[in-house]
Amino acid sequence: MSEARSIHIDYQVVSQLADLTKDDQSLLNQAIEASKLAYAPYSKFHVGCALRLANGKVINGSNQENAAYTVCQCAERGALGYASAKYPDVAVIEVAVYAQGASVTTPVATPCGVCRQALLEYADRFDQTMRIIAQCNNSSIYLFNSIRDLLPLGFSKNNLI
Ligand code: THU
């Protein structure tokens, strides 16, 4: 027997920063500022991330590249590592990611698969939904209600414990 199933996600697209709530504007602006600190001499794709923690703090990160490409670290995982090292008991409730790249032709750049997995782990760790805000090159802003929407059928701690 086979059964066709589908997965549906709801997300929002907002045309400009000014149309976001003040809190979202602030978080995205911090991701934009963080992208300016990227070390991305190889890809020239500058990514900034801002994590809003449950204690009100915001932690930033930017991508850090290496001539040995597999060592490159994405902005999101850099920020998560810092958050976990500094505030290990505090949830991340919202994530803004901004990407700036000269040769980008897509309308949005969402977190890569590895970062989705890392974000999901963090969300699960604190039982959070974790909103995601993503913008690329001043294009429209994409708002996702939960990291789980970006990783449907994802592998998580529920598979192990
Ligand atoms: N990158 C990020 O920082 N975050 C992502 O989610 C996607 C990719 C970085 C890694 C690398 O430095 C550059 O963008 C090109 O892949």
Side-chain angles (χ1 to χ4, degrees):
M1 192 199 107
S2 77
E3 182 186 330
R5 296 184 182 180
S6 62
I7 292 174
H8 168 98
I9 69 161
D10 291 308
Y11 62 96
Q12 252 189 301
V13 181
V14 174
S15 51
Q16 55 185 355
L17 198 88
D19 296 332
L20 294 176
T21 64
K22 289 276 171 268
D23 282 350
D24 285 357
Q25 280 183 41
S26 161
L27 200 65
L28 185 53
N29 270 323
Q30 291 181 73
I32 291 169
E33 286 309 305
S35 74
K36 296 174 186 166
L37 304 177
Y39 174 67
Y42 306 107
S43 70
K44 306 207 170 18
F45 189 69
H46 295 232
V47 186
C49 176
L51 308 175
R52 190 188 305 286
L53 274 54
N55 64 3
K57 305 273 185 207
V58 174
I59 299 288
N60 297 331
S62 57
N63 54 329
Q64 302 296 318
E65 298 190 344
N66 191 289
Y69 291 170
T70 50
V71 182
C72 291
Q73 175 155 261
C74 291
E76 297 90 320
R77 275 174 295 133
L80 279 180
Y82 183 34
S84 189
K86 198 163 165 67
Y87 302 107
D89 301 323
V90 184
V92 169
I93 53 177
E94 287 163 339
V95 179
V97 183
Y98 181 77
Q100 176 87 53
S103 55
V104 177
T105 52
T106 51
V108 68
T110 51
C112 78
V114 174
C115 287
R116 291 178 194 206
Q117 189 71 39
L119 290 164
L120 177 67
E121 180 74 25
Y122 221 92
D124 278 349
R125 184 168 150 185
F126 297 98
D127 283 322
Q128 291 293 314
T129 45
M130 196 185 270
R131 291 179 65 234
I132 310 286
I133 304 167
Q135 189 186 31
C136 183
N137 280 355
N138 295 315
S139 299
S140 300
I141 301 152
Y142 284 58
L143 303 173
F144 300 93
N145 296 322
S146 168
I147 180 60
R148 289 176 191 82
D149 292 339
L150 291 180
L151 205 57
L153 304 180
F155 186 85
S156 71
K157 69 174 185 183
N158 296 331
N159 297 109
L160 299 176
I161 52 179

